[in-house]
Amino acid sequence: MSKRRLFGTFGVRRVANEVLDPEFASLLAGSFGSLVGRRIAVGGDTRTSTPMIKHAIIAGLLSVGCEVVDLGILPTPAVQYATRNYFDGGIIVTASHNPPKYNGIKFVDEFGIGISEDMDIGVEELYFNKNPKRVSWDKIKKLYDNDTIIDEYIDETIKRVDEEAIKKAKLKVVLDCGSGAGCFTAPYLFEKLGCELITLNAQPDGSFPGRDPEPIEENLQDLIAMVKELGADVGIAHDGDADRTIFIDETGSFVPGDKTFALVEKYMLKANNGGLIVTTVATSTAIYDIAEEYNGEVIATAVGDLLVARKLHDEDGLLGGEENGGLIFPDFVYGRDAALSASKVLEIMAIEKTPLSKLIDELPSYFTEKMKVQCDDDIKEEVLRKISDEVSTLGFKVDTTDGVKIFKDEGWIIIRPSGTEPIFRCFAESKSQKDAKEMANWGIALIEKYKGE
Ligand code: MG
């Protein structure tokens, strides 16, 4: 692996025991610990390789004189919450929505925000020089366990919504935990909120036997069928580390993540008489339409929830979000949070006394098409440059905050290399599905053209 290539958009993600083995994890954690020092929280998801990697991380941190608190198996945002309130830094062992063979390491700073690029580089330098600052035997600090954060995280989530209104609505909820870290929080949260709860894949299992951990429509067919069959008010699905929530409405329709974002944005802007919304360049125009109507302001960053989170922190924003269903509530966690996202939508349904499908219908309507295509990491940059060159000669307005976003008469399209996988992603949005699809196909054809050379 070449220098400067360890970190993707948020930490390291690889196949367990290929690059991501105990030696790698220990040395990387020792490098991080050398820079942060003091008290570090460690937690992880339900993956089979998580205990192996987590214990290597703990050894690395202890070797450089950090005090370590093991929070156990819990959602990524629960570690971020704990770090922000009690620790100097945090490490999360998770590969989020990726298949079971993967795992990953995410580093967060004292605010619980994914570490900056400068810090990434600092950690990498120590790693590649094999130079973490080992301490003498008498300076090695203690390892503690803490299993109280989960309950605190659930209670703090509930404090941020109208608990009584949700309880009164007695919503019938089908919850698909996907056998991930949400198994330890989500069922208890919705029970405390008085929901009539039916769970699916609520047994933690790192082989993810029930479904793939990515909460996309094709992976949620069991949930969709159960919502319809049982006449539920809503279906809720989490990804592997429970930072993302996806909803199924009462008719069994999959609600795209940007619709959920738009719904919560509208509700929070109304409640707060405006505010700053932070999102990425890949998010729907609906976010801008709503901000205009309800006295909001929108800032768009490059793709990556840690960039959105940092901007929310620096600019004191009200709400952040991504098109994939990751909402960020900066008064709680500086990162995507599935628990509060889900609770917020239940609150909106309860207070508005309106079915989810109708709440979604009332939002500005755009059609999106998301496609992806394989592309080796080492040619991504060149492919992107050639695409940028070609589209700029065609006279379109272009935004290069992240990848290349092209504004055409019928809508926009963004072509960008993934920071975590050897693929290019291509998102298009338009007022019609046909146009969105045509634009996305055009984008894929551009990528194919240049990666083939
Ligand atoms: Mg995730």
Side-chain angles (χ1 to χ4, degrees):
M1 196 184 289
S2 64
K3 284 202 173 190
R4 305 267 177 277
R5 298 293 300 275
L6 282 179
F7 289 90
T9 38
F10 194 159
V12 177
R13 203 171 296 171
R14 291 287 186 277
V15 174
N17 257 356
E18 287 189 8
V19 172
L20 187 50
D21 60 16
E23 290 80 5
F24 172 90
S26 173
L27 188 59
L28 197 66
S31 303
F32 174 74
S34 298
L35 294 179
V36 176
R38 310 218 291 169
R39 300 186 74 223
I40 312 278
V42 178
D45 66 16
T46 58
R47 285 167 197 273
T48 50
S49 58
T50 294
M52 173 188 83
I53 294 163
K54 187 176 77 178
H55 286 93
I57 283 171
I58 290 171
L61 290 173
L62 291 170
S63 78
V64 296
C66 295
E67 186 177 290
V68 182
V69 179
D70 183 356
L71 304 178
I73 303 175
L74 71 176
T76 292
V79 181
Q80 290 176 282
Y81 164 83
T83 305
R84 175 176 175 169
N85 289 290
Y86 306 114
F87 300 98
D88 302 305
I91 303 184
I92 305 141
V93 183
T94 177
S96 187
H97 62 272
N98 289 124
K101 67 179 179 180
Y102 286 89
N103 213 329
I105 305 174
K106 288 181 168 185
F107 297 100
V108 298
D109 67 14
E110 73 268 35
F111 303 109
I113 304 176
I115 59 171
S116 65
E117 205 178 340
D118 284 352
M119 182 106 179
D120 282 354
I121 291 169
V123 174
E124 284 180 354
E125 264 170 22
L126 288 171
Y127 172 86
F128 284 114
N129 296 325
K130 296 201 167 21
N131 199 26
K133 300 187 179 77
R134 308 279 192 217
V135 296
S136 62
W137 71 271
D138 55 337
K139 299 280 190 307
I140 296 170
K141 296 218 171 69
K142 285 185 176 166
L143 167 66
Y144 299 92
D145 283 325
N146 178 323
D147 58 6
T148 65
I149 286 296
I150 283 183
D151 286 337
E152 184 177 324
Y153 170 75
I154 292 169
D155 292 343
E156 288 293 322
T157 302
I158 293 171
K159 276 187 200 163
R160 287 166 172 80
V161 290
D162 188 336
E163 182 181 355
E164 291 315 312
I166 300 173
K167 278 183 172 162
K168 236 173 99 186
K170 294 196 175 17
L171 296 165
K172 186 168 180 175
V173 175
V174 185
L175 168 70
D176 183 347
C177 300
S179 297
C183 295
F184 294 90
T185 50
Y188 308 99
L189 169 65
F190 299 126
E191 227 151 55
K192 280 192 170 182
L193 287 171
C195 298
E196 185 187 332
L197 185 66
I198 302 105
T199 59
L200 200 55
N201 301 314
Q203 80 287 15
D205 188 330
S207 62
F208 303 113
R211 68 160 166 94
D212 183 281
E214 186 166 18
I216 53 176
E217 188 169 2
E218 60 175 295
N219 295 333
L220 300 179
Q221 293 306 312
D222 290 348
L223 175 62
I224 288 169
M226 275 181 82
V227 167
K228 285 200 257 190
E229 187 71 25
L230 299 172
D233 294 302
V234 64
I236 294 175
H238 293 328
D239 72 333
D241 65 332
D243 61 346
R244 275 201 281 150
T245 294
I246 282 293
F247 297 88
I248 306 299
D249 75 20
E250 79 289 353
T251 72
S253 289
F254 179 90
V255 179
D258 51 13
K259 295 275 186 191
T260 310
F261 180 20
L263 174 64
V264 175
E265 177 199 18
K266 178 177 161 185
Y267 182 78
M268 285 183 69
L269 284 176
K270 267 162 81 174
N272 292 276
N273 289 318
L276 175 67
I277 307 298
V278 181
T279 185
T280 77
V281 287
T283 301
S284 177
T285 310
I287 299 303
Y288 293 84
D289 295 349
I290 291 167
E292 202 171 328
E293 195 176 340
Y294 297 100
N295 200 26
E297 189 199 334
V298 181
I299 299 180
T301 69
V303 173
D305 62 322
L306 82 172
L307 300 174
V308 174
R310 194 164 295 284
K311 190 60 96 177
L312 284 166
H313 172 263
D314 294 349
E315 306 283 340
D316 196 19
L318 176 68
L319 172 72
E322 295 179 301
E323 94 300 332
N324 62 10
L327 300 185
I328 304 177
F329 301 89
D331 81 319
F332 184 36
V333 171
Y334 282 119
R336 296 186 294 223
D337 184 88
L340 190 49
S341 303
S343 306
K344 215 49 183 173
V345 170
L346 296 183
E347 178 189 59
I348 297 169
M349 290 169 64
I351 287 180
E352 302 285 325
K353 296 189 171 59
T354 306
L356 185 56
S357 66
K358 186 148 185 295
L359 291 168
I360 299 297
D361 275 349
E362 290 165 359
L363 298 168
S365 177
Y366 291 90
F367 295 89
T368 57
E369 197 68 47
K370 300 182 180 184
M371 296 185 186
K372 57 185 177 185
V373 61
Q374 294 289 323
C375 181
D376 289 343
D377 286 333
D378 52 356
I379 59 164
K380 278 176 176 171
E381 229 167 275
E382 200 189 333
V383 171
L384 186 64
R385 187 178 49 75
K386 287 178 175 169
I387 293 171
S388 296
D389 288 351
E390 173 163 340
V391 295
S392 58
T393 62
L394 297 174
F396 297 118
K397 191 185 149 210
V398 164
D399 178 340
T400 56
T401 303
D402 191 354
V404 55
K405 185 174 185 179
I406 307 148
F407 297 87
K408 301 178 86 173
D409 289 342
E410 56 271 41
W412 58 260
I413 173 170
I414 185 164
I415 299 170
R416 53 175 295 274
S418 164
T420 50
E421 295 164 79
I423 56 171
F424 260 93
R425 293 185 191 279
C426 195
F427 291 177
E429 185 186 82
S430 174
K431 281 283 184 187
S432 93
Q433 193 71 51
K434 184 173 155 282
D435 286 344
K437 193 163 187 176
E438 274 172 19
M439 282 196 294
N441 279 325
W442 175 70
I444 293 289
L446 278 174
I447 301 162
E448 298 277 10
K449 176 175 165 188
Y450 290 116
K451 79 167 197 179
E453 280 185 358

